[in-house]
Amino acid sequence: MTLSEVKPPTCASEEDALWRAFKQDGSREAREALFSLHVAFARRIAARHHRDRGGDVEFQDLFQLACAGLLEALDRFQPDHGAPFTAFARRRVSGAVLDGIGKLSEAREQLSYRRRMRAERARSLASSVPADALSASDALAALIEMAVGLAVGIMLDDPALYASGETDRRPDAYESLAWKQAVARLHAEVAGLPDREGAVLRLHYLEGVGFDEIGATLGVSKGRVSQIHKAALGSIRKRLRNPADFRLKR
């Protein structure tokens, strides 16, 4: 029997037959037919959460979460207990939506935080000389210095790239031995920096701490942290003069 041959039930007895086929025989087609029967129920729950939140989360995201909750409810439901399925499933579908909203919100917050930190890095690396006061060659040199500083930041951003024994989660562009050796060398250089410079880089890149919080920890202003960050990356850049250290191999 294929899914196209399993029609939605038109009465309670036909739904009961689908539950028996699913629970007793493990029929995948019956499970899919039950899902099709109750998907509108899941959609209504998603729509309610969408209204309650004022539309701050896309409806389609909420609907996908509700569908996941519906599938879990189908697998857990025991028809022999006598309770109607929708009464059993309502709390589980709604719970799946709420749990998913929490994870989506956390992911958005993390993305926003990472963007703010990257903006802080870029500002700290930007030249303090007004752009209109730079010659063409000076402007190019400043841009190169900033780009290399950002590249160093990318290399520092994920300690899993150099930690021994950990699975490398990076895509293929980061899998070459040369890249891993360059990252390991970079971290060795960080370890050799003066205490305050090394602390700023470790806190910011390895612990994910923003410049404001680093300043509070070290007892200095955010602007001073920015200066230390730029100086530290500048020191590393001068000590790693081999261009191969910053080449992404594809």
Side-chain angles (χ1 to χ4, degrees):
M1 180 182 295
T2 64
L3 178 58
S4 61
E5 295 171 331
V6 179
K7 297 180 180 180
T10 57
C11 63
S13 62
E14 291 183 3
E15 182 177 349
D16 290 341
L18 286 174
W19 280 114
R20 286 194 298 272
F22 174 37
K23 295 297 180 177
Q24 296 177 13
D25 303 331
S27 169
R28 178 178 177 181
E29 290 79 10
R31 181 177 185 263
E32 291 171 341
L34 287 165
F35 177 83
S36 296
L37 174 65
H38 293 289
V39 70
F41 165 74
R43 183 183 293 273
R44 288 194 297 272
I45 292 177
R48 175 171 58 81
H49 283 285
H50 189 254
R51 289 193 303 271
D52 290 346
R53 296 188 62 85
D56 67 331
V57 180
E58 293 290 336
F59 171 75
Q60 194 61 31
D61 291 335
L62 299 180
F63 180 50
Q64 293 301 318
L65 294 169
C67 287
L70 176 61
L71 289 171
E72 181 181 355
L74 288 172
D75 294 338
R76 291 179 176 272
F77 182 59
Q78 297 298 326
D80 296 339
H81 290 178
F85 174 70
T86 53
F88 171 85
R90 181 172 286 105
R91 186 176 67 178
R92 287 161 177 79
V93 174
S94 186
V97 172
L98 291 173
D99 288 346
I101 288 173
K103 293 176 181 177
L104 287 172
S105 298
E106 182 181 356
R108 287 199 301 268
E109 290 174 2
Q110 290 177 347
L111 180 59
S112 177
Y113 186 65
R114 289 183 70 84
R115 285 173 176 168
R116 290 199 303 272
M117 287 200 297
R118 287 170 181 165
E120 286 182 337
R121 299 169 192 173
R123 285 193 295 269
S124 81
L125 293 170
S127 175
S128 59
V129 180
D132 57 4
L134 292 174
S135 67
S137 60
D138 289 340
L140 179 59
L143 180 61
I144 292 172
E145 180 178 358
M146 183 175 178
V148 173
L150 292 173
V152 170
I154 291 171
M155 296 172 75
L156 284 170
D157 222 4
D158 189 353
L161 282 172
Y162 72 96
S164 59
E166 292 193 21
T167 301
D168 189 347
R169 300 184 298 274
R170 291 282 188 171
D172 291 343
Y174 295 90
E175 291 178 353
S176 72
L177 177 61
W179 174 265
K180 293 178 182 178
Q181 290 174 338
V183 172
R185 180 182 168 191
L186 176 59
H187 281 270
E189 295 293 346
V190 171
L193 288 172
D195 290 345
R196 183 156 287 189
E197 290 186 359
V200 167
L201 295 191
R202 286 191 294 272
L203 285 170
H204 186 66
Y205 290 101
L206 305 187
E207 303 297 334
V209 182
F211 284 8
D212 282 321
E213 293 79 8
I214 293 175
T217 299
L218 300 181
V220 298
S221 67
K222 177 181 177 180
R224 180 56 182 150
V225 172
S226 178
Q227 293 172 350
I228 295 170
H229 170 260
K230 180 177 181 179
L233 291 186
S235 296
I236 289 177
R237 182 179 61 82
K238 291 176 182 178
R239 290 155 67 177
L240 297 176
R241 291 187 177 277
N242 184 355
D245 290 329
F246 300 100
R247 184 179 301 133
L248 298 180
K249 295 185 180 296
R250 299 186 181 276

